């Protein structure tokens, strides 16, 4: 810009950089948002329950954990009651398939994703 560097310019540039840095999303954050959105308590999400609503919320959470964290599949499974990595893969595939075939489900997942 061929301007002299002064304190005001540095503050302005640093402020823009700080605002652009994104906070990392944790699996705990994902679980909280999904459980709140699906009206399911956190204990149910990590339980052995096979109720459809609970399973679906758990699968959505696993899907987001895989998409938005650097955690391994086995580590994600540990956050959900010690489940196996293959369970996480199955959950992700199930969510993707449902999003492809069910528009209401896709809208719901996209709303949670925005949060």
């Amino acid at each position: 810009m061929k301007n002299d560097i002064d304190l005001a310019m540095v503050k302005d540039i640093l402020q823009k950089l700080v605002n652009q840095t994104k906070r990392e999303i944790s699996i705990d954050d994902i679980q909280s948002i999904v459980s709140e959105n699906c009206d399911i308590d956190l204990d149910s999400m990590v339980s052995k329950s096979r109720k459809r609503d609970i399973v679906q919320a758990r699968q959505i959470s696993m899907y987001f954990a895989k998409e938005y964290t650097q955690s391994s599949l086995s580590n994600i499974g540990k956050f959900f009651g010690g489940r196996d990595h293959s369970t996480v893969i199955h959950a992700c595939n199930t969510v993707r398939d449902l999003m492809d075939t069910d528009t209401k489900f896709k809208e719901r997942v996209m709303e949670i994703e925005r949060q």
Side-chain angles (χ1 to χ4, degrees):
M1 294 191 312
K2 297 181 183 182
N3 294 337
D4 291 333
I5 298 173
D6 62 1
L7 185 60
M9 178 188 283
V10 172
K11 283 183 179 180
D12 183 51
I13 292 170
L14 287 176
Q15 183 65 35
K16 288 176 184 173
L17 287 174
V18 169
N19 287 338
Q20 289 178 355
T21 57
K22 293 184 178 181
R23 184 176 73 92
E24 278 198 37
I25 299 172
S26 71
I27 295 175
D28 290 329
D29 295 334
I30 292 168
Q31 286 177 328
S32 295
I33 291 169
V34 174
S35 68
E36 195 175 295
N37 201 287
C38 296
D39 199 28
I40 293 172
D41 61 286
L42 286 172
D43 292 336
S44 295
M45 192 169 297
V46 299
S47 71
K48 300 286 183 193
S49 176
R50 290 182 157 188
K51 288 184 180 179
R52 182 179 180 158
D53 294 344
I54 295 171
V55 169
Q56 206 166 62
R58 187 184 305 130
Q59 288 176 334
I60 292 169
S61 296
M62 288 181 185
Y63 169 78
F64 284 137
K66 183 177 179 300
E67 293 294 316
Y68 291 106
T69 68
Q70 298 296 316
S71 295
S72 66
L73 296 174
S74 59
N75 191 42
I76 293 169
K78 288 176 187 174
F79 271 87
F80 291 91
R83 287 173 167 77
D84 192 63
H85 75 281
S86 61
T87 304
V88 178
I89 293 170
H90 175 73
C92 294
N93 291 337
T94 300
V95 170
R96 279 190 215 102
D97 290 345
L98 280 171
M99 286 175 62
D100 288 341
T101 59
D102 185 347
T103 56
K104 286 186 180 186
F105 180 81
K106 183 176 183 175
E107 289 171 5
R108 183 177 180 197
V109 171
M110 289 173 66
E111 176 59 33
I112 295 170
E113 187 172 25
R114 278 189 283 275
Q115 293 178 10

